[in-house]
Amino acid sequence: MNKSIRICHLTSVHRPDDIRIFHKMACGLAPDFDMHLVVPNGNTGQLNGVHVHSFKAETQNRRIRMKQTVDRVLKEALALKADLYHLHDPELLRIVPALRQTGAKVVFDSHEDVPKQIMDKHWIPWVFRKSISLAYTWYEKRKARQLDGIISVTPGICARFETYHSAVCLVANFPLPSEFKEVDWSSKKPTHFCYIGGLYASRGIREVVMAMKYVNGTLHLAGSFDDPLLQAELESSSAWKKVVFHGHVDRQHIQQILAQCSVGLVTLHPTPSYMEAYPIKLFEYMAGGCAVIASDFPLYRQLIENSQCARFVDPENEAEIAHELNAFVNDPERCLTAAKAARSTFENAFNWDHEAAKLSAFYLQILRP
């Protein structure tokens, strides 16, 4: 235990109950460190061993948030006199010098490959995306020199940071074992499938729903549509009769969906950011005892092909998706075997306990005199 070491997580945009920041990192390592979290629009107090410091602030308006909210995060952070500050948002990079002036160590947690993500931002006019992406890359590289360490979620992002920083640690966003209890295999239905997360065209939701026209089964959708026109299009199709739309749901409801489904779909389109991402839903499906139908990306094959729990498809081809769903429907025993292989792989490789140990060791490495 290192309770004399004060760690402070900082965010200007994430929710107070963010899974990665609060539940996995802060709560998970609270028994070992004096753990603090500065976060807007939460409740100040101690929760699950974490000292939460919160304030009312704007998080939706980017212009206001990046100035006023970030300034307030800095004020709260400086008052805590932490030994190490763990930043979770790119917009917080501008306060690194002020934090380091206190003598503290500062690490940045890059949850996404931001330069590639900028290229996918629909709200940025496409003619400006490349120049903005290049400008951010230059800024990120310059700020990285001021950091004591960098954390990220995939090997690809870590490899990019390693070209200009010597202290980089991969801490993947794998599920918490405590959240995914033992699977009741008798509750699994081979004709029930699920798609959990943002319901966006670029994440393959149109093809997933349309594939159900050719499948004798039920698709559970949990999430929110970003495009009302896309939602209306899908709801008017004949495939929608086979869909149970749950909308945006809490973590407990997600567990209930996973408990009855045998197959989870993660058919993101082949954009630069998606092809190198570790989608959380992939590992949560496996933790919940679901076989996987995934986009045929090299990274996904590298991760799970040998575990015998997945089938790979062209995410933009609804006929391929339907074919693999029908293969599971027509062979329930094979479906159950794949689902059990998915759960076993989660238990042995893709769970948060392994990542928590890496994070703790990285903190100590950075703090070592």
Side-chain angles (χ1 to χ4, degrees):
M1 295 180 64
N2 303 280
K3 297 296 284 186
S4 63
I5 298 175
R6 177 167 292 184
I7 306 291
C8 184
H9 293 266
L10 306 179
T11 178
S12 53
V13 64
H14 287 84
R15 292 169 52 90
D17 62 348
D18 183 86
I19 297 297
R20 179 174 175 84
I21 300 172
F22 179 71
H23 289 285
K24 294 178 181 176
M25 291 186 162
C27 294
L29 272 64
D32 301 323
F33 299 96
D34 178 19
M35 192 65 70
H36 294 252
L37 168 64
V38 174
V39 59
N41 304 324
N43 296 315
T44 295
Q46 187 168 345
L47 182 61
N48 297 346
V50 178
H51 302 276
V52 180
H53 310 269
S54 197
F55 52 91
K56 294 296 182 183
E58 176 60 58
T59 58
Q60 299 303 311
N61 184 303
R62 292 182 181 87
R63 184 173 299 176
I64 295 175
R65 188 187 73 221
M66 293 175 73
K67 171 56 179 169
Q68 297 179 9
T69 307
V70 170
D71 287 348
R72 184 61 187 276
V73 169
L74 175 61
K75 179 181 177 181
E76 296 286 337
L78 293 175
L80 291 171
K81 297 181 172 63
D83 298 292
L84 184 148
Y85 292 100
H86 186 148
L87 281 54
H88 290 276
D89 309 305
E91 61 203 47
L92 295 177
L93 287 171
R94 73 172 175 85
I95 68 174
V96 171
L99 295 173
R100 293 202 69 198
Q101 284 179 1
T102 67
K105 303 294 186 180
V106 183
V107 301
F108 172 53
D109 193 339
S110 183
H111 297 195
E112 310 281 353
D113 191 326
V114 178
K116 289 183 178 178
Q117 192 183 49
I118 289 171
M119 298 299 295
D120 295 334
K121 294 290 188 183
H122 64 85
W123 50 270
I124 300 176
W126 68 269
V127 293
F128 300 127
R129 290 179 196 173
K130 186 172 183 179
S131 59
I132 294 173
S133 177
L134 290 172
Y136 176 81
T137 300
W138 173 85
Y139 173 76
E140 184 184 68
K141 186 180 297 187
R142 185 169 66 89
K143 300 304 291 186
R145 300 190 186 102
Q146 301 171 352
L147 294 163
D148 296 286
I150 298 172
I151 296 166
S152 197
V153 293
T154 70
I157 303 175
C158 287
R160 178 167 62 82
F161 281 116
E162 285 171 349
T163 62
Y164 47 85
H165 204 288
S166 60
V168 179
C169 183
L170 170 63
V171 180
N173 211 11
F174 296 150
L176 285 161
S178 59
E179 187 178 9
F180 292 86
K181 307 299 183 183
E182 289 298 321
V183 177
D184 179 3
W185 298 107
S186 65
S187 299
K188 293 286 185 179
K189 302 172 183 176
T191 58
H192 282 237
F193 327 116
C194 61
Y195 182 103
I196 298 170
L199 307 178
Y200 310 156
S202 64
R203 297 187 181 182
I205 191 59
R206 176 183 281 108
E207 291 84 359
V208 167
V209 171
M210 291 305 182
M212 293 304 297
K213 292 186 294 185
Y214 316 107
V215 180
N216 183 21
T218 300
L219 173 65
H220 294 262
L221 293 184
S224 302
F225 282 92
D226 70 330
D227 182 354
L229 294 178
L230 174 61
Q231 181 174 357
E233 172 195 336
L234 296 182
E235 288 179 345
S236 65
S237 72
S238 59
W240 195 257
K241 293 183 293 185
K242 300 176 182 179
V243 171
V244 177
F245 181 43
H246 298 265
H248 181 77
V249 298
D250 59 22
R251 302 296 295 175
Q252 184 177 359
H253 196 142
I254 289 174
Q255 295 294 334
Q256 294 169 0
I257 295 171
L258 292 174
Q260 60 182 307
C261 292
S262 293
V263 181
L265 294 113
V266 54
T267 49
L268 307 178
H269 284 186
T271 68
S273 59
Y274 288 157
M275 290 184 72
E276 294 186 8
Y278 276 19
I280 299 173
K281 64 167 65 67
L282 169 63
F283 305 108
E284 291 189 343
Y285 293 154
M286 297 170 70
C290 291
V292 176
I293 292 179
S295 301
D296 194 358
F297 297 162
L299 177 62
Y300 292 5
R301 283 190 176 271
Q302 178 186 337
L303 280 169
I304 59 176
E305 185 172 26
N306 291 337
S307 66
Q308 305 300 312
C309 71
R311 304 292 294 178
F312 301 95
V313 298
D314 175 354
E316 298 176 292
N317 188 326
E318 63 189 57
E320 276 194 34
I321 297 171
H323 175 79
E324 295 302 339
L325 287 173
N326 280 321
F328 281 128
V329 169
N330 296 329
D331 193 345
E333 185 175 342
R334 171 194 170 201
C335 183
L336 181 60
T337 298
K340 288 183 175 180
R343 172 68 187 196
S344 177
T345 304
F346 157 72
E347 292 175 347
N348 295 323
F350 298 145
N351 71 75
W352 176 253
D353 286 351
H354 302 299
E355 306 308 298
K358 289 197 295 186
L359 178 60
S360 179
F362 190 63
Y363 283 160
L364 296 176
Q365 172 191 328
I366 295 297
L367 289 164
R368 187 177 299 123

